[in-house]
């Protein structure tokens, strides 16, 4: 009784007048009017109208027409109309169209025959099909391949009907004979598919008999052969698996890329032998380099990533082939390639990979690549990961990357300086050369954040006398002459920064501002900075060294505080390594002059914004420290910072190791599982590939690789009761949530002694949910049940609600009865999964996202960490705050959580809680996202779950 919904098109509701107009046009002799009338009738039927009086008119006036368009519309009409009554019996008037269909099957025009055969594929009424079977079989021998092709499809459809084997009992034998003599590619495919579905043994016999000529088959038939092999090998008895694998391997050389792709996937599903996996990986890599469509490349990279999860040892050998896909201009492809390659690094291939990435970095300097800055940032991050995992390769790339400290792409420059900071700590052998290189290239840095990190590196890792003096000299050169501005009572502008050597390609920019002195007289403040007019400034030019000065004069007092701290560390270390106290005191005096000049600038009215309190306190602390230094303070400034940084790196490495362990698949075999001993087996007649496959199967059996545990309790939790037990109709739904759609399998049970007619499950949605199927009517016998499936599309991560009712009629009551269903709430947890991101990325997203939901903490839980773990479990999110930051008992807790939805949306959560005197927790949970739906839905979930409920 299921009726297929072919198409949903908006159309005005039909009326009696419209039906009469259609009837009048169909009875006329105008062909164009008949065509328009048939189109309107088809549209009305698709929109739910019945038009019961139109059938006889069409039989009388449309069936005899010879026009091809009218005949095609007639077949569409016959496909749509109801061919059965309410009891499920075929309508007697359907016999009237049999003679016309028989005439069409014998029509001299090939098109009429072909479309009629194609129409018969959609019929399921044995009463209509039975008299047409002889005519259908006669078309198997027609001279035109178009007719033979559709005749084979019609035979396949009829034979697969519930009683189709009674209509054409010898169909597999007839199709097998037709396949043996057929030459047309599409007809052969249709015949082979019919045998695959209805006579699998005959299809397998045909495949084995033509195994040597499979490579010569058309690609359509090759695809059907691959599908058959997959289907056969899923069965428990796979005695001929070796023969199937040989056919698949031979098809890997097919000229059709679609066939090659399917064969690569099939051979991996059939065999886990290294030879088979290597053949599949090489095939994917060849397709990756030959296909230009970015979507195809992304799919191929997904397949390679799936191979990596289960066959990493084999995938390591194709790393360089995967890297060639970086030639694609698409950033998404490049990103997936780099992620895949980083997971395949080994001590054997890491040098080759880093060398290739180094060449790619050099290419980004040419400026020819689109989005070269973003690509360079991705490459820097990839090289960073390689160097952290394999420190021995850091020396070959770190000096090249340090040339990009002054990159115009600030994000890329930040990645470079973070890479330098980590490598200089983990690779002590490179420290001397890296410090020298950083001192030489410091003048190129233009970003404040990059300058701050570079200054910290110079202050922490400049250990020798020459390094300390070079670092102090570099900082002073980048600051220029002091003070930063001068006050002249005459009102004349005075340059406070005069070049010590001729300027090249630069111009001095002076700023003046009148001020009132303490005695009430007027004076002028002036400050001078150096602006570069062209990018062709040589490194030795004075203009290019004033990066710190220009940033500080722009009001960046946080950088000024970092300068003060760095100079303080350098002076303290100079006092330890400098034998001459005079030189040390001279350096200390110079550092104090820099700090007092910064304070003078910050407290003056020259800049629009004065210095902030934090930076002021920090610089004043540095001044006091240089004036009076104790041993304990010296130890804190010179040693504790590096120790904290080393501890942070160790924690980061520990977290990454723990995440890798968590991702590893843990499978256990049962004690009584059967294990075949490879060396005791007979190897007669087995190929090398089959021998390797036997070994891999034994290893999987021993380690539990074949076991799949199903969470039955979780499945039971997804069964929702929709009606009460006392309702005349009982209904319950099993909810299956896929990534982009929801499937409701609704079981409807008639608990009465009457037949329920026109029973319809009417559903509606709220939120970003869309119902795909139209509601259909069913007839339910007394105390019988019916399975109804409803598909719902999901377009965003938002809590949705599905509601509706069941409507039915009975023979005793003419009015329709309604049973209201319980609401089905779609949980947001089905769409988000834990994810990780860098702290910098988290902060950037937190500042960028505009939607925030603030939830007050209201819970009976009294332990901060217990509450945090409860929120993490309830929201299915990942805690980004390291465990070391959560250690201790202080009465406060702050943590960041992160998750990502299947639609690519980011969910950020910050938990800030405090333990009150009475033991209760107070605080707020703030949720931020780019869209409103995920912020509100996640807030509702936390509000519901935070009290400690399950």
């Amino acid at each position: 009784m299921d009726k297929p919904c072919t198409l949903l098109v908006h159309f005005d509701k039909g009326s009696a007048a419209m039906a009469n107009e259609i009837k009048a046009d169909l009875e006329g002799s105008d062909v164009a009017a008949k065509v328009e009338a048939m189109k309107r009738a088809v549209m009305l039927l698709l929109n739910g109208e019945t038009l019961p009086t139109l059938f006889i008119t069409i039989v009388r006036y449309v069936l005899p027409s010879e026009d091809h368009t009218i005949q095609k519309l007639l077949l569409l009409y016959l496909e749509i109309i109801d061919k059965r009554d309410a009891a499920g019996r075929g309508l007697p008037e359907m016999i009237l169209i049999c003679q016309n269909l028989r005439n069409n099957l014998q029509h001299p025009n090939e098109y009429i025959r072909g479309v009629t055969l194609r129409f018969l594929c959609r019929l399921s009424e044995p009463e209509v099909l039975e008299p047409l079977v002889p005519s259908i079989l006669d078309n198997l021998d027609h001279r035109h391949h178009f007719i033979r092709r559709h005749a084979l499809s019609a035979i396949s459809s009829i034979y697969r009907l519930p009683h189709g084997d009674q209509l054409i009992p010898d169909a597999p034998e007839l199709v097998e004979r037709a396949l043996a003599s057929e030459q047309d590619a599409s007809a052969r495919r249709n015949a082979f598919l019919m045998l695959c579905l209805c006579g699998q043994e005959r299809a397998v016999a045909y495949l084995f008999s033509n195994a040597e000529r499979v490579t010569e088959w058309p690609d359509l038939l090759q695809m059907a052969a691959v599908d058959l092999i997959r289907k056969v090998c899923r069965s428990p008895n796979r005695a001929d698996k070796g023969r199937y694998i040989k056919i698949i391997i031979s098809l890997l050389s097919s000229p059709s890329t679609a066939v090659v792709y399917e064969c690569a996937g099939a051979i991996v599903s059939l065999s886990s032998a290294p030879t088979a996996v290597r053949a599949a990986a090489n095939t994917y890599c060849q397709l990756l380099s030959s296909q230009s469509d970015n979507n195809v490349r992304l799919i191929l990279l997904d397949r390679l990533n799936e191979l990596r999860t289960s066959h990493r040892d084999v995938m390591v050998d194709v790393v360089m082939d995967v890297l060639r896909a970086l030639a694609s201009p698409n950033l998404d492809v490049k990103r997936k390639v780099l992620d895949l390659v980083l997971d395949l690094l080994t001590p054997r291939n890491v040098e080759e990979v880093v060398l290739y990435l180094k060449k790619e970095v050099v290419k980004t300097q040419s400026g020819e690549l689109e989005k070269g800055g973003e690509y360079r940032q991705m490459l820097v991050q990839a090289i960073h990961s390689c160097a952290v995992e394999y420190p021995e390769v850091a020396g070959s790339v770190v000096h090249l990357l340090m040339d990009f400290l002054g990159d115009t792409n600030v994000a890329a420059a930040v990645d470079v300086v973070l890479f330098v900071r980590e490598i200089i700590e983990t690779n002590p052998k490179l420290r001397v050369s890296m410090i020298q290189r950083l001192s030489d290239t410091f003048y190129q840095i233009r970003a404040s954040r990059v300058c701050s990190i570079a200054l910290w590196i110079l202050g922490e890792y400049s250990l020798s006398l020459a390094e300390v003096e070079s670092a102090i000299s570099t900082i002073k050169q980048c600051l220029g002459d002091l003070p930063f501005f001068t006050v002249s009572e005459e009102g004349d502008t005075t340059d406070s920064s005069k070049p010590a050597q001729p300027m090249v390609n630069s111009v001095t920019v002076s700023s003046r501002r009148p001020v009132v002195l303490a005695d009430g007289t007027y004076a002028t403040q002036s400050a001078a900075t150096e602006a570069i007019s062209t990018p062709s400034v040589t490194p030795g030019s004075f203009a290019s060294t004033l990066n710190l000065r220009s940033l500080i004069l722009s009001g960046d007092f946080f950088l000024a505080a970092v300068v003060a701290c760095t100079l303080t560390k350098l002076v303290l270390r100079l006092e330890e390594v400098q034998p001459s106290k005079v030189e040390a005191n001279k350096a200390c005096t110079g550092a104090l002059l820099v700090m007092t000049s910064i304070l003078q600038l910050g407290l003056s009215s020259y800049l629009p914004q004065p210095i902030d309190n934090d930076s002021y306190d920090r610089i004043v602390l540095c001044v006091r420290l240089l004036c009076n230094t104790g041993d304990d303070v010296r130890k804190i400034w010179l040693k504790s910072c590096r120790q904290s940084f080393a501890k942070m790196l160790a924690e980061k490495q520990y977290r990454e190791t723990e995440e890798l362990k968590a991702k590893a698949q843990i499978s256990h075999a049962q004690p009584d599982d059967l294990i075949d001993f490879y060396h005791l087996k007979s190897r007669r007649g087995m190929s090398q590939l089959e021998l390797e496959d036997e070994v891999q199967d034994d290893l999987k059996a021993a380690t539990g690789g074949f076991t799949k545990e199903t969470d039955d309790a979780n499945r039971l939790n997804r069964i929702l009761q929709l009606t009460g037990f006392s309702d005349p109709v009982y209904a319950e739904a099993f909810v299956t949530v896929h990534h982009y759609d929801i499937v409701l399998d609704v079981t409807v049970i008639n608990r009465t002694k009457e037949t329920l007619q026109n029973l319809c499950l009417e559903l509606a949605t709220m939120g970003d949910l869309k119902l795909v199927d139209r509601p259909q009517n069913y007839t339910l016998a007394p105390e019988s049940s019916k399975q109804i499936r409803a598909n719902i599309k999901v377009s965003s991560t938002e809590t949705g609600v599905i509601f509706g009712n069941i409507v039915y009629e009975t023979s005793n009551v003419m009015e329709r009865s309604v049973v209201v269903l319980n609401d089905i709430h779609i949980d947001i947890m089905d769409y988000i999964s834990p994810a990780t991101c860098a702290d910098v990325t988290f902060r950037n997203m937190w500042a960028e996202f505009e939607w925030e939901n603030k939830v007050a903490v209201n819970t009976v839980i009294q332990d901060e960490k217990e509450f945090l773990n409860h929120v993490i479990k309830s929201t299915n999110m990942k805690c980004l705050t390291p465990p070391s930051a959560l250690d201790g008992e202080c009465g406060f807790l702050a943590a960041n959580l992160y998750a990502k939805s299947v639609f690519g949306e980011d969910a950020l959560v910050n938990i800030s809680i405090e333990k009150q005197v009475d033991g209760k927790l107070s605080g707020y949970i703030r949720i931020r996202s780019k869209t409103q739906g995920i912020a509100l839905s996640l807030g509702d979930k936390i509000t519901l779950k935070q009290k400690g409920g399950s």
Side-chain angles (χ1 to χ4, degrees):
M1 291 298 296
D2 291 348
K3 297 185 297 184
C5 177
T6 307
L7 182 65
L8 289 176
V9 180
H10 172 71
F11 198 75
D12 293 334
K13 189 172 179 65
S15 61
M18 185 179 292
N20 292 332
E21 290 179 9
I22 296 173
K23 187 175 180 181
D25 290 338
L26 292 177
E27 292 175 352
S29 58
D30 188 359
V31 175
K34 281 188 176 183
V35 169
E36 291 300 322
M38 288 296 297
K39 288 182 179 179
R40 281 186 289 166
V42 170
M43 296 294 285
L44 287 172
L45 288 169
L46 286 173
N47 281 273
E49 300 294 329
T50 55
L51 303 178
T53 62
L54 204 60
F55 181 77
I56 299 300
T57 303
I58 289 178
V59 170
R60 291 181 59 189
Y61 297 100
V62 178
L63 282 183
S65 176
E66 295 289 337
D67 185 78
H68 289 184
T69 305
I70 292 179
Q71 287 294 322
K72 184 175 181 179
L73 290 171
L74 170 64
L75 295 176
L76 286 175
Y77 169 81
L78 295 176
E79 180 182 345
I80 297 169
I81 61 173
D82 292 330
K83 305 173 188 65
R84 296 180 181 273
D85 56 17
R89 296 184 298 271
L91 295 173
E93 54 264 30
M94 286 294 108
I95 302 299
L96 297 176
I97 67 172
C98 288
Q99 185 59 40
N100 177 265
L101 293 176
R102 186 187 295 111
N103 294 337
N104 285 349
L105 292 175
Q106 299 171 357
H107 201 280
N109 184 278
E110 288 85 359
Y111 175 79
I112 297 295
R113 284 199 187 198
V115 295
T116 305
L117 288 166
R118 189 164 56 191
F119 163 72
L120 294 179
C121 297
R122 295 171 173 82
L123 283 184
S124 58
E125 287 71 29
E127 302 86 354
V128 180
L129 291 171
E130 186 175 6
L132 302 176
V133 168
S135 300
I136 296 173
L137 298 179
D138 291 341
N139 284 299
L140 284 176
D141 300 324
H142 196 274
R143 58 182 178 79
H144 203 285
H145 61 82
F146 178 75
I147 296 175
R148 298 196 303 271
R149 179 191 313 166
H150 291 297
L152 289 166
S153 298
I155 293 173
S156 176
S157 301
I158 294 172
Y159 191 79
R160 285 185 285 122
L161 291 175
H163 301 287
D165 54 346
Q166 299 177 7
L167 295 176
I168 315 178
D170 56 345
E173 183 180 353
L174 294 174
V175 171
E176 186 179 16
R177 287 204 302 265
L179 177 60
S181 60
E182 184 59 61
Q183 299 298 322
D184 179 67
S186 297
R188 293 174 68 186
R189 171 186 174 273
N190 291 349
F192 190 77
L193 285 178
M194 189 274 175
L195 292 179
C196 293
L197 296 171
C198 307
Q200 194 176 93
E201 298 81 4
R202 295 177 185 269
V204 170
Y206 179 79
L207 178 63
F208 285 157
S209 62
N210 293 272
E212 301 297 330
R213 297 188 297 274
V214 169
T215 55
E216 302 173 3
W217 284 3
D219 54 352
L220 292 175
L221 196 55
Q222 289 177 346
M223 292 283 284
V226 174
D227 290 338
L228 172 65
I229 293 174
R230 276 181 166 169
K231 183 178 178 181
V232 171
C233 289
R234 288 195 191 104
S235 59
N237 185 14
R238 301 187 295 175
D240 295 322
K241 188 175 72 169
R243 300 177 66 182
Y244 293 127
I245 292 176
K246 289 179 182 178
I247 295 174
I248 292 291
I249 291 179
S250 65
L251 288 176
L252 286 175
S253 59
S254 172
S256 171
T257 54
V259 173
V260 171
Y261 173 80
E262 292 296 332
C263 287
I267 195 172
V268 174
S269 64
L270 293 179
S271 172
S272 56
T275 304
V277 176
R278 192 174 295 110
N282 291 332
T283 300
Y284 286 142
C285 291
Q286 291 173 5
L287 293 174
L288 191 61
S289 60
S290 62
Q291 298 299 307
S292 58
D293 190 290
N294 291 325
N295 294 320
V296 174
R297 287 176 171 175
L298 292 173
I299 293 172
L300 290 169
L301 288 170
D302 287 338
R303 300 290 85 77
L304 288 169
N305 194 39
E306 291 173 2
L307 288 181
R308 177 197 61 80
T309 56
S310 54
H311 305 283
R312 186 179 184 276
D313 295 339
V314 178
M315 286 295 298
V316 165
D317 298 332
V318 297
V319 167
M320 300 309 297
D321 296 328
V322 175
L323 273 177
R324 294 191 183 94
L326 289 176
S328 170
N330 186 271
L331 284 181
D332 292 330
V333 175
K334 294 177 184 288
R335 186 175 293 106
K336 275 205 169 185
V337 169
L338 292 175
D339 291 341
L340 176 60
V341 169
L342 292 179
D343 289 332
L344 296 174
L345 289 178
T346 62
R348 276 189 309 155
N349 60 22
V350 65
E351 292 185 2
E352 286 184 277
V353 171
V354 170
L355 181 61
Y356 194 97
L357 297 179
K358 186 177 176 181
K359 292 178 181 178
E360 290 294 312
V361 171
V362 175
K363 289 181 184 178
T364 61
Q365 292 179 286
S366 62
E368 299 177 358
L369 295 176
E370 186 181 357
K371 298 182 179 179
E374 296 181 37
Y375 180 38
R376 182 161 56 246
Q377 182 183 358
M378 291 162 49
L379 291 171
V380 170
Q381 293 172 349
I383 294 174
H384 187 175
S385 301
C386 295
V388 170
E389 189 172 356
Y390 300 96
E392 62 271 10
V393 302
S396 61
V397 291
V398 67
H399 296 295
L400 171 66
L401 294 183
M402 291 180 74
D403 291 334
F404 296 98
L405 287 172
D407 198 338
T408 54
N409 185 352
V410 178
V414 170
D415 287 334
V416 171
V417 76
L418 292 176
F419 169 66
V420 171
R421 186 181 67 176
E422 188 167 349
I423 294 303
I424 202 171
E425 170 63 29
T426 55
N427 283 25
K429 296 180 181 179
L430 299 176
R431 186 192 60 80
V432 176
S433 61
M434 291 177 68
I435 286 293
Q436 180 62 40
R437 182 71 171 171
L438 183 59
S439 298
D440 295 340
T441 58
F442 186 82
Y443 70 92
Q444 300 175 351
I445 302 175
R446 291 293 179 267
S448 173
R449 185 153 182 258
V450 180
C451 279
S452 301
I453 301 174
L455 286 170
W456 185 88
I457 296 172
L458 289 175
E460 290 294 334
Y461 296 97
S462 297
L463 304 180
S464 65
L465 176 62
E467 292 169 352
V468 173
E469 291 179 343
S470 175
I472 294 175
S473 175
T474 299
I475 294 173
K476 288 185 175 180
Q477 186 180 6
C478 293
L479 287 171
D481 291 344
L482 301 175
F484 291 98
F485 68 96
T486 59
V487 178
S488 173
E489 294 190 9
E490 294 80 8
D492 296 334
T493 301
T494 305
D495 272 354
S496 62
S497 177
K498 293 184 178 181
Q501 55 183 341
M503 307 281 282
V504 181
N505 292 332
S506 64
V507 60
T508 302
V509 181
S510 300
S511 302
R512 295 191 297 171
R513 178 175 300 185
V515 295
V516 181
L517 298 179
D519 57 358
T521 59
Y522 286 95
T524 301
Q525 288 181 341
S526 65
T529 60
E530 301 298 329
I532 303 169
S533 59
T534 64
S536 60
V537 180
T538 60
S541 67
F542 183 79
S544 61
T545 62
L546 297 178
N547 53 347
L548 288 179
R549 185 184 188 89
S550 60
L551 289 171
I552 292 175
L553 286 175
S554 67
D556 190 350
F557 286 104
F558 175 78
L559 177 62
V562 175
V563 171
C565 294
T566 303
L567 287 174
T568 302
K569 292 179 183 178
L570 292 173
V571 170
L572 293 178
R573 187 164 285 115
L574 185 64
E575 293 176 356
E576 293 184 349
V577 299
Q578 175 61 265
S580 172
K581 297 297 182 183
V582 177
E583 294 295 331
N585 291 335
K586 184 178 178 180
C588 181
T589 304
L592 289 172
L593 177 60
V594 171
M595 298 177 198
T596 54
S597 299
I598 293 173
L599 291 174
Q600 181 187 16
L601 175 65
L603 297 174
S604 69
S605 59
Y606 171 71
L607 295 179
Q609 295 291 335
I611 186 172
D612 58 281
N613 293 333
D614 291 339
S615 300
Y616 177 83
D617 294 341
R618 189 71 170 166
I619 297 173
V620 169
L621 175 65
C622 293
V623 172
R624 291 176 177 172
L625 182 62
L626 290 179
C627 295
N628 186 12
T629 307
D631 293 338
D632 294 337
V633 176
R634 185 186 299 272
K635 181 179 179 182
I636 293 173
W637 278 72
L638 296 183
K639 295 183 179 179
S640 298
C641 289
R642 285 186 62 182
Q643 292 173 355
S644 299
F645 180 60
K647 185 178 179 182
M648 185 192 78
L649 293 180
E651 289 180 356
K652 178 183 174 184
Q653 184 68 27
Y654 174 77
R655 288 205 312 269
E656 292 176 353
T657 304
E658 291 298 317
E659 290 176 1
L660 291 176
K661 290 181 180 179
K663 290 181 180 179
Q665 295 182 354
I666 302 175
S667 55
H668 303 283
Q670 296 298 322
D672 56 348
D673 284 348
L674 177 66
I675 298 178
D676 293 328
F677 289 93
Y678 163 69
H679 292 287
L680 301 180
K681 279 188 174 182
S682 173
R683 307 185 189 182
R684 183 177 301 174
M686 297 179 68
S687 64
Q688 181 63 30
L689 182 61
E690 291 177 275
L691 293 175
E692 292 180 10
D693 202 30
E694 291 288 341
V695 176
Q696 295 297 322
D697 289 348
D698 290 344
L699 289 175
K700 282 189 176 182
T703 58
F706 290 141
T707 60
K708 292 184 179 180
E709 298 181 2
T710 58
D711 192 354
D712 295 332
N714 189 32
R715 289 177 58 86
L716 290 175
N717 289 336
R718 294 187 177 275
I719 296 178
L720 303 176
Q721 183 179 342
L722 301 181
T723 63
F725 292 111
S726 61
D727 289 322
V729 176
Y730 174 77
E732 64 181 19
F734 179 77
V735 183
T736 305
V737 179
H738 301 290
H739 282 176
Y740 299 102
D741 61 334
I742 301 169
V743 179
L744 297 180
D745 290 309
V746 183
T747 302
V748 180
I749 302 175
N750 180 7
R751 305 183 68 235
T752 67
K753 302 294 184 179
E754 300 177 351
T755 300
L756 304 183
Q757 300 176 355
N758 295 327
L759 183 142
C760 179
L761 175 65
E762 297 178 347
L763 296 175
T765 60
M766 186 173 63
D768 286 340
L769 305 176
K770 183 183 293 184
L771 191 63
V772 177
D773 301 326
R774 286 181 61 190
Q776 301 177 20
N777 295 333
Y778 303 94
T779 299
L780 209 57
E783 298 182 351
S784 64
S785 63
K786 178 69 178 178
Q787 294 285 338
I788 303 175
R789 172 166 290 191
N791 293 312
I792 297 171
K793 291 294 180 184
V794 185
S795 57
S796 70
T797 309
E798 184 177 349
T799 299
V801 179
I802 304 172
F803 54 94
N805 47 54
I806 294 177
V807 183
Y808 61 92
E809 297 175 354
T810 60
S811 57
N812 298 333
V813 183
M814 298 304 297
E815 295 182 357
R816 307 192 75 183
S817 302
V818 178
V819 178
V820 180
L821 305 179
N822 292 331
D823 295 344
I824 301 174
H825 294 268
I826 303 303
D827 196 351
I828 187 179
M829 295 301 102
D830 293 323
Y831 301 107
I832 66 173
S833 56
T836 58
C837 68
D839 293 338
V840 177
T841 307
F842 186 92
R843 287 194 294 269
N844 292 338
M845 289 191 293
W846 187 269
E848 177 187 351
F849 291 169
E850 56 184 2
W851 289 105
E852 177 175 311
N853 190 3
K854 192 173 183 180
V855 180
V857 173
N858 181 17
T859 179
V860 297
I861 301 175
Q862 296 188 353
D863 183 72
E864 305 98 309
K865 294 179 183 177
E866 182 183 351
F867 178 72
L868 173 63
N869 294 331
H870 176 68
V871 173
I872 292 173
K873 181 180 179 181
S874 302
T875 58
N876 196 26
M877 302 189 79
K878 172 77 174 178
C879 182
L880 299 182
T881 306
S884 59
L886 303 174
D887 288 342
E889 297 292 338
C890 62
F892 298 91
L893 187 144
N896 294 329
L897 311 182
Y898 178 66
K900 206 172 184 67
S901 74
V902 296
F903 304 98
E905 300 167 320
D906 300 290
L908 313 179
V909 173
N910 173 261
I911 300 178
S912 300
I913 52 178
E914 176 186 2
K915 194 167 187 177
Q916 301 293 334
V917 179
D918 57 359
K920 294 183 179 180
L921 298 180
S922 65
Y924 291 96
I925 302 172
R926 293 197 296 167
I927 306 138
R928 286 197 181 184
S929 65
K930 205 168 189 177
T931 57
Q932 181 184 17
I934 192 171
L936 295 177
S937 302
L938 202 54
D940 295 340
K941 185 72 175 179
I942 292 175
T943 303
L944 180 66
K945 293 285 187 178
Q946 68 168 322
K947 290 188 177 182
S950 57

